[in-house]
Amino acid sequence: MAESDFSAELKEVQAQLDALTARKIELENALKSARLTQLKQSQNIQSKKITIVGGRGKLGQLFVRMFAQLGHQLSVLEPSDWPNAEAILAGQDLVIISVPINLTLSVIEQVTQFIEPHTILADLTSIKQKPVEKMLSCHTGPVLGLHPMFGPDVDNIQDQVVAYCQARDMAECQWVLDSLVLLEAKLEAVSAESHDKAMSFIQVMRHFSTFLYGFHLKQENPKLSELIALSSPIYRLELAMVGRLFAQDPQLYADIIYSNPENFDLLKRFSKRLQAGIELLEKGDKQLFIQEFEEVHHWFGEYADHFLAESKRLLKAAHLS
Ligand code: NAD
């Protein structure tokens, strides 16, 4: 066969593959929707009235779409809707607050002037202690704190973790958790205090050190195009993880980092350890560095090997190794 025949056949095979992939996605979505309807009927989840305050925002829109898939009746309340708040919030089974963190407490105060005592009040805020305390103090009915541990760019919430804080009247709130389980989210119960402590390590330290990495690159001013061209896929991925932070909303990251003064203490200790690491290097004794490295390895214990295997799997799945 001539070269042109190979390339014509290759094109044809690619077109068939594309068509099959599109059909596969179509069938997967249809199957998911049929399963949801069946599960909803079998678990007798009734259609509920839900308002998402901030429901046109990034995360709010996702939750509007997810709850609507289960047949619940959704409405949203945005800044221009406050003159109609009484009508929008009347008779709601669930009201979810999903506004920027710095407005959350004042919006809770506003919302609770209108909602009825039986209405479940919940929030999606990335911090939990202050919003949960505020909801409990302003509302007499059921209260549920939620924190979706993912960004708004996911297609659905299957296998995504949603942390929840049991605040008041959990029996009344059970259908909300059941709805999330139906959508195949993984629920993780946690107290608001433990949640915020864990987030200091998971989010605050991560975001701040990523911010510093970008801040440092900016000052050093290397040629980014050259760094990218010379990076293997895994280093490019690491650079992408830094760069992607700066393509997102700085207000959200500022709110998360500034949310709790204890975060600053943690970051100051981090900075001291950075300095201690430099002093270690300046001693010029590689053996000392290796010893510290081994001690951190020991601290990670079996998680170190587990993380190595898991990251290898992820990189392979993303065709990066
Ligand atoms: P966003 O800025 O995209 O959306 C906020 C929405 O709130 C907007 O539609 C805005 O118009 C609305 N709003 C602002 N002020 C309002 C007011 N006074 N009354 C009514 N509506 C008002 O923000 P987002 O990223 O969707 O975040 C919302 C919440 O979700 C935050 O609490 C955040 O901590 C939490 N969260 C976000 C993410 C994420 O990755 N985006 C992840 C987990 C949790």
Side-chain angles (χ1 to χ4, degrees):
M1 269 203 315
E3 194 185 326
S4 59
D5 294 332
F6 284 130
S7 77
E9 195 174 341
L10 196 59
K11 260 191 197 157
E12 199 178 308
V13 169
Q14 188 59 52
Q16 286 171 3
L17 278 176
D18 291 347
L20 280 173
T21 309
R23 180 69 186 138
K24 181 171 172 261
I25 293 171
E26 213 175 85
L27 284 172
E28 279 171 353
N29 287 339
L31 181 67
K32 198 168 276 171
S33 154
R35 268 196 196 136
L36 273 180
T37 313
Q38 204 180 8
L39 269 167
K40 197 177 157 240
Q41 281 162 358
S42 69
Q43 297 198 5
N44 202 18
I45 288 198
Q46 310 288 325
S47 174
K48 303 282 188 181
K49 288 185 183 162
I50 304 175
T51 295
I52 302 196
V53 183
R56 293 221 174 79
K58 292 185 282 297
L59 201 65
Q61 281 184 43
L62 174 70
F63 275 78
V64 166
R65 191 157 50 81
M66 291 293 110
F67 280 120
Q69 266 187 24
L70 296 176
H72 296 309
Q73 301 163 52
L74 270 297
S75 55
V76 302
L77 195 156
E78 281 286 319
S80 59
D81 298 320
W82 281 106
N84 305 321
E86 191 170 357
I88 295 172
L89 297 171
Q92 295 302 292
D93 297 300
L94 167 66
V95 170
I96 303 178
I97 313 291
S98 181
V99 299
I101 300 181
N102 60 328
L103 301 176
T104 299
L105 303 185
S106 60
V107 168
I108 290 172
E109 274 180 16
Q110 272 181 286
V111 161
T112 46
Q113 290 168 23
F114 300 105
I115 62 175
E116 293 160 17
H118 69 87
T119 302
I120 301 169
L121 180 60
D123 75 312
L124 302 179
T125 324
S126 304
I127 52 168
K128 291 273 57 87
Q129 261 179 295
K130 288 179 189 163
V132 167
E133 274 166 23
K134 192 72 175 173
M135 291 192 290
L136 283 171
S137 71
C138 293
H139 182 50
T140 54
V143 172
L144 178 64
L146 297 169
H147 180 195
M149 306 301 302
F150 46 88
D153 45 3
V154 297
D155 289 333
N156 57 60
I157 64 172
Q158 184 180 10
D159 294 330
Q160 301 286 352
V161 175
V162 179
Y164 70 99
C165 305
Q166 312 180 351
R168 186 189 294 131
D169 296 345
M170 283 311 289
E172 311 295 320
C173 301
Q174 192 55 44
W175 68 265
V176 183
L177 300 179
D178 290 345
S179 293
L180 295 171
V181 169
L182 272 182
L183 293 162
E184 298 180 63
K186 289 185 189 160
L187 297 186
E188 202 59 55
V190 64
S191 73
E193 192 188 354
S194 303
H195 168 277
D196 287 3
K197 281 201 173 122
M199 282 313 119
S200 297
F201 290 102
I202 297 170
Q203 296 199 327
V204 175
M205 252 191 69
R206 186 67 260 151
H207 297 325
F208 189 69
S209 40
T210 304
F211 163 76
L212 273 186
Y213 198 131
F215 183 63
H216 179 59
L217 277 180
K218 183 191 141 241
Q219 315 285 326
E220 296 286 318
N221 199 20
K223 219 170 160 187
L224 258 184
S225 57
E226 193 171 82
L227 297 192
I228 294 164
L230 292 175
S231 294
S232 66
I234 183 160
Y235 288 118
R236 215 166 50 236
L237 180 64
E238 294 205 355
L239 204 51
M241 297 308 288
V242 176
R244 79 190 291 276
L245 182 89
F246 298 95
Q248 297 176 65
D249 180 5
Q251 185 69 50
L252 176 66
Y253 294 104
D255 284 349
I256 291 174
I257 293 168
Y258 281 82
S259 63
N260 185 345
E262 283 174 26
N263 291 336
F264 294 3
D265 297 335
L266 178 70
L267 294 173
K268 279 185 205 157
R269 292 198 295 278
F270 184 55
S271 139
K272 278 190 188 148
R273 279 164 198 138
L274 187 66
Q275 193 49 42
I278 299 291
E279 283 163 17
L280 183 79
L281 293 189
E282 283 176 337
K283 283 186 182 148
D285 184 350
K286 267 192 205 161
Q287 215 38 53
L288 267 181
F289 175 83
I290 289 169
Q291 195 181 318
E292 284 293 345
F293 192 103
E294 291 298 351
E295 281 176 23
V296 179
H297 177 186
H298 183 69
W299 180 82
F300 268 95
E302 59 191 31
Y303 281 110
D305 290 334
H306 171 80
F307 286 155
L308 181 63
E310 189 181 15
S311 57
K312 268 189 188 164
R313 255 197 324 275
L314 288 171
L315 290 168
K316 203 166 173 189
H319 304 290
L320 289 174
S321 70

